[in-house]
Amino acid sequence: MKLASVRLVTDDLPALTAFYSALTNTAPVTPFGPDDYAELHTDGSIIALAASAAVRRHNNFAAEAAANRSAILEFEVDDVDAERVRLSEQVTDWVQEPTTQPWGYRSMLLRDPDGNLINLYSAGH
């Protein structure tokens, strides 16, 4: 079995697409048109973004936008502190500034425009 992607449901697809495009430094792909769905292809994973209306139409109301409080999206980066500087204008909700964890990883926490929690970390600093 292979995890294909993580899909986030949103009421503001353009804003979330712009946010994740800036976060991942990748251009969005819209294989089904730009109104309902976008993908960000990163090294080894896909972040899929779906409009709430599409989930209502195609997935039997199975997910609710901006309601996550249990998952953390984690991205390994080369330099957490450099990412903090790079993302300073895109991110409006910083949860934890860059911190060296007891196990030696450097990490920071932030929220996307829908409130989903994101951890950026590096194994070496």
Side-chain angles (χ1 to χ4, degrees), residues 14-35:
L16 213 59
T17 300
F19 177 86
Y20 279 99
S21 182
L23 178 74
T24 61
N25 246 349
T26 60
V29 176
T30 54
F32 312 115
D35 296 332

Side-chain angles (χ1 to χ4, degrees), residues 30-94:
T30 54
F32 312 115
D35 296 332
D36 284 341
Y37 183 81
E39 292 179 349
L40 290 298
H41 294 237
T42 66
D43 186 23
S45 67
I46 295 174
I47 301 167
L49 307 171
S52 296
V55 172
R56 287 190 297 274
R57 270 194 317 276
H58 306 295
N59 300 126
N60 199 27
F61 294 83
E64 180 182 338
N68 172 39
R69 290 290 181 251
S70 63
I72 303 172
L73 300 175
E74 297 191 304
F75 296 89
E76 185 173 4
V77 299
D78 290 331
D79 184 337
V80 170
D81 296 278
E83 291 297 316
R84 173 61 173 94
V85 171
R86 184 179 74 82
L87 296 169
S88 64
E89 293 186 24
Q90 285 83 21
V91 176
T92 59
D93 191 354
W94 297 98

Side-chain angles (χ1 to χ4, degrees), residues 23 72-75 77 79-88 91 93-101 103 105-111 117-122:
L23 178 74
I72 303 172
L73 300 175
E74 297 191 304
F75 296 89
V77 299
D79 184 337
V80 170
D81 296 278
E83 291 297 316
R84 173 61 173 94
V85 171
R86 184 179 74 82
L87 296 169
S88 64
V91 176
D93 191 354
W94 297 98
V95 177
Q96 177 182 297
E97 291 292 332
T99 303
T100 301
Q101 300 296 333
W103 48 91
Y105 283 21
R106 187 110 174 116
S107 70
M108 70 178 169
L109 296 171
L110 56 113
R111 291 195 187 277
L117 190 59
I118 297 168
N119 178 34
L120 299 183
Y121 74 93
S122 61

